[in-house]
Amino acid sequence: MQSYMSVFVVLASFGFNVSILKLCSEDRSEKQKNYLFRKGLTYSLVSQILTIALIFFLVYFELLSQDFIINKVFLVYALGLAPLVLDGIILAYLQSMKRIKEYANVQIISKPISIVTIVIFTYYLGLFGYAIGIAMSYFFTLLLLFYRNKNFILGQFELVENPFEAHSYYALYSTLTNFVGIVLISIDIFFLNYFLSDRVELGFYSFATIFIGMLGVVTRSILQISHPHFSEKASDYSKWITSFRKYQKLMNIVLIVMFGVSSVLVPIFMYFVFDGRYMNSIQFFLILGIAWLFRDLSAFRGSALFGLGKLKLNFVTNISSLIFHLGFIYFGFQIMGIYGVAIGMILGACSTYFLSLIVFRSVLRQIRL
């Protein structure tokens, strides 16, 4: 459900969170930025409605999953789609205005309450309770975020010419890029869900991906800060490239250290906390951890290109990488089964790393010319 929800969030946002981040990071007056933010939020309402309709269609015809329970529970889980999308749009605006601390303060308050809510509902209502708790936590976070920033969000605005045209360019390519990116991250789960008959083995594999997702939170948090940073420096190549080289080195060190530490601590955590019940997940975690490392080592290049407005190139890189991933996963599955899929994710991540490197260097050559 989490893997599918991540895809639907991209469709429902339709890139307007990214267009808000890009446009409002540029050199404009605060009133113009406020206007562009409101327009982007309004445009996203259409994509949210269409995405919700798509979810009902997929569930009704059992195209989302062949599991009756998953289909039924996902309708409840999907109630959190709209607040999750709106939360992301407001976050993008706060990022662009360098008010990320405001969002962090909301998370500090909302997360503990959300966790308690989810645990209580799950305890009494099982999987349905979990879905209800998740949806409620999204609504609570959105309401708190709006309440604490309502004066800022509802401030005065100044009209900007052709706001839809400005939003649509970035929104379209960011949607395509993010959609492919989300599929890339979860392509192994989607593939195994349809082609692996051993559901227990898939459960061990999926459990390992939860911890991989936790590692990805750090990368996403860094990119949230770097996007507006690179947008501001896009007009000055010297400052832009200096910033990139400085923070790319720091990013590499952080990711390598995280991989080393997690490779030791996560297996220990799995063994002692779960009494060895998920020992089979450890081997998958270690393999997928390598894939995560190579994939996220290339993420900063995409952020730097985003700052230059090169969203089309990011999309080309992602779609090319997806093709490689599919090939490696398919042949890996044919040769080694589920373990071949995990190995395929490593090879696919390596392709992402080198493709992004080639594209990034080509952009640098063009700029220097």
Side-chain angles (χ1 to χ4, degrees):
M1 288 191 297
Q2 290 174 339
S3 297
Y4 282 116
M5 179 62 96
S6 61
V7 173
F8 289 129
V9 167
V10 172
L11 293 177
S13 302
F14 204 75
F16 289 113
N17 57 327
V18 178
S19 65
I20 288 171
L21 176 59
K22 181 68 177 76
L23 294 172
C24 296
S25 297
E26 296 173 351
D27 186 18
R28 305 174 184 271
S29 69
E30 185 170 320
K31 292 181 179 180
Q32 288 181 332
K33 293 179 180 180
N34 207 342
Y35 177 76
L36 288 168
F37 160 70
R38 295 186 189 185
K39 282 296 182 180
L41 190 151
T42 302
Y43 299 148
S44 75
L45 296 178
V46 176
S47 56
Q48 290 180 52
I49 293 172
L50 292 176
T51 303
I52 292 172
L54 174 63
I55 291 174
F56 276 93
F57 174 82
L58 294 174
V59 169
Y60 182 80
F61 289 100
E62 297 184 349
L63 297 174
L64 186 73
S65 173
Q66 296 178 351
D67 190 308
F68 173 77
I69 295 177
I70 292 297
N71 282 317
K72 197 171 181 180
V73 174
F74 194 80
L75 289 177
V76 179
Y77 195 88
L79 292 175
L81 181 66
L84 190 57
V85 170
L86 294 174
D87 178 60
I89 287 175
I90 295 175
L91 168 60
Y93 187 48
L94 293 176
Q95 284 178 246
S96 69
M97 303 295 283
K98 294 185 176 180
R99 296 171 66 98
I100 194 69
K101 185 178 179 181
E102 295 294 329
Y103 185 79
N105 290 336
V106 169
Q107 292 289 335
I108 290 173
I109 298 172
S110 67
K111 285 300 181 184
I113 296 174
S114 297
I115 291 172
V116 171
T117 301
I118 293 169
V119 170
I120 291 174
F121 274 87
T122 304
Y123 180 81
Y124 286 104
L125 300 174
L127 189 58
F128 277 97
Y130 171 77
I132 294 171
I134 286 287
M136 288 180 63
S137 69
Y138 292 152
F139 275 103
F140 176 70
T141 300
L142 175 63
L143 291 174
L144 185 61
L145 184 62
F146 180 80
Y147 175 76
R148 289 177 61 93
N149 297 278
K150 61 180 182 296
N151 293 331
F152 175 67
I153 294 172
L154 300 178
Q156 295 181 335
F157 63 87
E158 178 183 333
L159 297 180
V160 176
E161 291 186 6
N162 301 319
F164 182 75
E165 183 179 344
H167 272 290
S168 60
Y169 172 78
Y170 294 115
L172 175 61
Y173 278 110
S174 65
T175 298
L176 294 173
T177 303
N178 289 338
F179 180 80
V180 176
I182 291 296
V183 173
L184 269 174
I185 294 174
S186 303
I187 189 65
D188 50 343
I189 295 294
F190 296 144
F191 183 91
L192 290 171
N193 184 46
Y194 283 100
F195 294 103
L196 184 69
S197 58
D198 189 340
R199 312 310 285 180
V200 174
E201 196 72 6
L202 176 58
F204 287 125
Y205 189 101
S206 300
F207 187 72
T209 63
I210 293 175
F211 293 91
I212 298 298
M214 291 178 181
L215 294 176
V217 169
V218 176
T219 308
R220 290 193 297 273
S221 299
I222 294 174
L223 293 181
Q224 286 174 355
I225 299 172
S226 66
H227 279 351
H229 177 78
F230 285 123
S231 291
E232 283 185 338
K233 291 178 168 52
S235 58
D236 190 327
Y237 172 75
S238 178
K239 291 182 179 179
W240 176 82
I241 192 63
T242 300
S243 270
F244 169 76
R245 288 170 176 166
K246 175 183 177 181
Y247 292 111
Q248 175 71 68
K249 291 179 181 178
L250 182 61
M251 180 81 156
N252 291 346
I253 294 172
V254 170
L255 292 179
I256 292 172
V257 170
M258 283 180 58
F259 172 70
V261 173
S262 64
S263 296
V264 176
L265 296 184
V266 171
I268 294 175
F269 177 82
M270 287 185 183
Y271 180 79
F272 285 103
V273 174
F274 297 102
D275 295 326
R277 286 175 293 177
Y278 291 95
M279 289 300 292
N280 289 353
S281 297
I282 293 176
Q283 53 197 337
F284 292 127
F285 171 77
L286 295 175
I287 298 173
L288 294 175
I290 298 173
W292 163 81
L293 178 63
F294 276 99
R295 184 178 64 244
D296 281 22
L297 282 173
S298 63
F300 218 60
R301 298 190 193 104
S303 180
L305 292 179
F306 171 88
L308 294 177
K310 305 288 187 179
L311 277 72
K312 187 175 181 179
L313 288 179
N314 281 339
F315 169 67
V316 171
T317 301
N318 274 12
I319 198 69
S320 301
S321 179
L322 178 60
I323 295 172
F324 278 104
H325 271 77
L326 283 171
F328 289 131
I329 287 173
Y330 175 78
F331 287 109
F333 184 71
Q334 296 298 319
I335 298 171
M336 299 176 60
I338 192 171
Y339 294 96
V341 171
I343 297 297
M345 289 295 286
I346 293 180
L347 297 175
C350 289
S351 72
T352 301
Y353 180 87
F354 288 110
L355 283 169
S356 68
L357 182 62
I358 292 170
V359 170
F360 189 78
R361 287 183 174 177
S362 69
V363 171
L364 293 186
R365 284 196 295 269
Q366 290 174 4
I367 295 175
R368 288 165 183 165
L369 293 176

